[in-house]
Amino acid sequence: MTPAPYQALVLAGGSARRFGGEDKGLQRLDGKPFVEHTLAALAAQTAPPASCLISANRNLDVYRAFGHPVLADSRSGFQGPLAGIAEGLAALSENWLLVVPCDVVALPADFAERLFAEADHADAVCACDAESMHPALLLVNRRVRAPLDEFLLGDNRRLRDWLASLALREAFFPAPFPNLNSPESLRQWQSRL
């Protein structure tokens, strides 16, 4: 499938327990917040998004300063990535939403194109590499908004469980994605630079 117009959603609304509760999207790599690296990676796509949205639940003014709409969860208590995705789908003006967590600070330039290449007859496409499936690196169609809202009425907040209920495809990437979800992973990434 040729990339259709899409919007991107950067997930930065979690509780960041592995970072001691500090706002993960505002952790610094090379002097810049994670979210700034993620937004730059999206802007550098060979098929860039029509616009970007940021899912955040604190420091909202700081996130707004990046120049993109900021969406806070309508559900209280850090409900996880599904709550952020639900807000992204509610604000979506295109048919497709590309979801990227703020701790993925680099993406292949053809990331969006490769997910769209698997999108025919799919509700969603997630990225995978030789190490694992990455459910939060996700291209999702707007038609899943109602099923997601219904799923969130229950107690389950596992992204993988919701994806299992959809027509899901995977896009394979040969190199692992940098996922800086802890101070240790950040130190390891910085030591490679």
Side-chain angles (χ1 to χ4, degrees):
M1 173 184 221
T2 302
Y6 71 95
Q7 289 170 278
L9 174 70
V10 178
L11 294 174
S15 59
R17 289 186 300 270
R18 292 184 190 127
F19 276 97
E22 294 181 25
D23 195 327
K24 191 186 330 181
L26 301 180
Q27 296 300 304
R28 295 198 168 264
L29 172 66
D30 296 334
K32 296 189 292 191
F34 284 6
V35 68
E36 190 172 338
H37 290 277
T38 307
L39 288 166
L42 289 164
Q45 290 295 296
T46 52
S51 64
C52 290
L53 307 165
I54 299 173
S55 168
N57 289 307
R58 51 190 163 161
N59 301 307
L60 302 183
D61 288 339
V62 176
Y63 282 108
R64 285 187 192 105
F66 292 103
H68 302 282
V70 175
L71 311 173
D73 293 352
S74 58
R75 297 160 178 87
S76 62
F78 295 111
Q79 295 289 315
L82 283 178
I85 293 169
E87 299 302 330
L89 287 169
L92 189 62
S93 59
E94 303 292 349
N95 284 327
W96 291 94
L97 183 68
L98 181 71
V99 180
V100 179
C102 65
D103 55 11
V104 178
V105 295
L107 293 168
D110 63 349
F111 177 73
E113 285 187 286
R114 290 172 71 173
L115 266 64
F116 269 104
E118 301 296 331
D120 278 341
H121 310 296
D123 295 325
V125 180
C126 72
C128 66
D129 57 35
E131 294 178 2
S132 64
M133 172 184 159
H134 299 279
L137 287 168
L138 181 67
L139 179 67
V140 63
N141 191 280
R142 71 179 312 128
R143 67 178 161 266
V144 302
R145 179 181 174 194
L148 176 54
D149 288 342
E150 185 175 328
F151 185 87
L152 287 170
L153 293 175
D155 294 331
N156 191 343
R157 294 294 179 268
R158 285 183 43 89
L159 179 55
R160 286 178 190 262
D161 290 348
W162 176 65
L163 290 175
S165 72
L166 304 178
L168 176 68
R169 298 195 57 171
E170 294 180 357
F172 180 77
F173 293 83
F177 290 93
N179 185 348
L180 309 184
N181 64 3
S182 68
E184 178 58 30
S185 61
L186 174 56
R187 281 190 293 275
Q188 289 173 354
W189 180 258
Q190 287 176 317
S191 71
R192 294 183 208 162
L193 301 178

